[in-house]
Amino acid sequence: MWIPACGTGEGTGASETLGAMNETASLRARAEIDLAALRANVRALRERAAGAQLMAVVKSDGYGHGAVPCARAAREAGATWLGTATPHEALALRAAGLDGRIMCWLWTPGGPWREAIEADI
């Protein structure tokens, strides 16, 4: 399930955002990810589907916004799974100290499959 990190983050304390810029559009576009809003959205989904497991997908470096901080925020708020596209992305989360369930779904010949299996991905 894709969880957009939008919202006011009201009542969550100090502003905590991640910024990302596209070099070709650095003067025209900027996206900020409010990690407090991401946490609030994950908590809201967990409350509405209390018996379900929730996966936060952080493929492509968190859609260009930082996979590790987004994954940490989602886990802190109750995401039981993290999803990535490739084993390289999943292994990067493990290297950053993220534990628990991580799934990747794109198979590539010669990929780091032994490492992924050993890392419980």
Side-chain angles (χ1 to χ4, degrees):
M1 174 176 284
W2 175 65
I3 303 168
C6 57
T8 63
E10 291 179 22
T12 58
S15 175
E16 180 185 13
T17 60
L18 298 174
M21 283 192 192
N22 178 328
E23 284 185 27
T24 61
S26 63
L27 299 177
R28 294 180 283 150
R30 178 174 174 83
E32 289 188 1
I33 302 302
D34 184 335
L35 294 176
L38 189 148
R39 286 184 200 94
N41 289 344
V42 170
R43 280 192 293 273
L45 288 169
R46 296 283 300 146
E47 289 171 9
R48 286 166 179 77
Q53 294 188 27
L54 184 137
M55 177 185 285
V57 177
V58 293
K59 70 181 196 73
S60 302
D61 192 30
Y63 297 93
H65 296 96
V68 171
C70 289
R72 283 192 177 127
R75 272 281 162 79
E76 289 165 6
T80 50
W81 283 84
L82 297 173
T84 68
T86 69
H88 294 94
E89 293 172 343
L91 288 166
L93 295 179
R94 285 281 191 250
L98 286 150
D99 59 1
R101 296 177 174 170
I102 299 177
M103 182 185 88
C104 65
W105 54 85
L106 291 180
W107 180 86
T108 55
W113 296 108
R114 179 179 303 275
E115 295 89 343
I117 291 167
E118 290 171 354
D120 196 27
I121 294 170

